[in-house]
């Protein structure tokens, strides 16, 4: 059980479900005003680290203003969990698709190729601002699916809001994990989270 309240800095239903399935108790406070566009020449590992930290800081500011209206009053203790996930293939960073055409472009790039799903994970403690930031990487390969199979998947709209325009949890038989965490591909690396929480000294083993 947590010694401090856990706050998920995300509106992702997949991250929420992963935490629930693992037995964590938490509240949700999504970040605001975080520009998720990569900087020119920014590697994906640095991108997810930067954005996970930015999301944690955004939620920390919100919690400070919501829970601590008196500027000189001590902030309530809590632990913020923020995560950012992208896919990367042949040097191209693939975030969430803007529309169906963007999703088609991403899937066309991925099919028949090995790629990576990379997540940045940040734990931020209030009121001290003490934080930890790490990344998790999963290697995958996508079968060289046909145009018909690609369009059929696009028709499901399951690609919406998912890095790389696909969801491993959708039961796709044409995406295979070569190495790394399955939960990372879904959107939250649970093994890394458990280790970071224990190293933070705020959670006992589940």
């Amino acid at each position: 059980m947590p010694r401090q309240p856990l706050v998920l800095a995300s509106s992702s239903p997949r991250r929420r479900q992963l935490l629930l399935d693992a037995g964590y108790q938490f509240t949700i406070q999504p970040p605001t005003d975080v520009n998720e566009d990569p900087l020119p020449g920014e590697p994906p590992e640095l991108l997810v680290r930067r954005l996970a930290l930015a999301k944690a800081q955004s939620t920390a500011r919100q919690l400070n203003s919501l829970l601590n209206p008196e500027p000189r009053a001590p902030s309530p203790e809590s632990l913020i969990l923020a995560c950012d996930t992208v896919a990367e293939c042949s040097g191209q960073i693939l975030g969430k698709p803007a529309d169906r055409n963007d999703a088609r472009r991403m899937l066309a790039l991925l099919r028949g190729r090995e790629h990576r799903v990379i997540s940045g994970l940040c734990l931020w403690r209030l009121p001290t601002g003490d934080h930890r930031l790490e990344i998790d990487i999963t290697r995958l390969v996508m079968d060289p699916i046909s145009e018909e199979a690609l369009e059929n998947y696009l028709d499901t709209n399951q690609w919406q809001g998912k890095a790389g325009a696909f969801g491993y949890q959708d039961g796709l038989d044409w995406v295979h994990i070569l190495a790394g965490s399955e939960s990372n591909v879904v959107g939250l690396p649970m093994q890394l989270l458990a280790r970071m929480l224990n190293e933070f000294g705020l959670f006992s083993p589940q």
Side-chain angles (χ1 to χ4, degrees), residues 61-113:
R61 288 192 295 269
Q62 292 180 66
L63 291 177
N64 278 328
S65 63
L66 290 173
L67 302 177
N68 185 16
E70 297 295 331
R72 296 184 180 179
S75 300
E77 291 188 349
S78 59
L79 186 68
I80 298 169
L81 162 60
C83 184
D84 188 78
T85 302
V86 299
E88 180 271 333
C89 181
S90 300
Q92 294 191 40
I93 296 175
L94 307 177
K96 299 171 185 176
D99 52 31
R100 183 185 176 108
N101 287 334
D102 197 27
R104 181 184 293 108
R105 175 188 65 83
M106 292 183 184
L107 292 172
L109 173 66
L110 292 172
R111 62 181 174 184
R113 295 181 179 178

Side-chain angles (χ1 to χ4, degrees), residues 95-167:
K96 299 171 185 176
D99 52 31
R100 183 185 176 108
N101 287 334
D102 197 27
R104 181 184 293 108
R105 175 188 65 83
M106 292 183 184
L107 292 172
L109 173 66
L110 292 172
R111 62 181 174 184
R113 295 181 179 178
E114 185 176 326
H115 60 282
R116 300 185 299 164
V117 171
I118 307 167
S119 291
L121 191 62
C122 182
L123 295 179
W124 181 286
R125 182 173 7 195
L126 287 179
T128 65
D130 183 22
H131 63 279
R132 303 202 177 185
L133 183 61
E134 296 195 31
I135 65 170
D136 199 62
I137 300 175
T138 304
R139 291 175 46 236
L140 307 95
V141 65
M142 183 179 292
D143 292 341
I145 58 174
S146 66
E147 287 292 333
E148 181 181 7
L150 190 154
E151 293 297 331
N152 286 341
Y153 181 67
L154 291 174
D155 287 342
T156 68
N157 289 327
Q158 292 178 316
W159 50 268
Q160 294 180 347
K162 296 172 181 174
F166 74 91

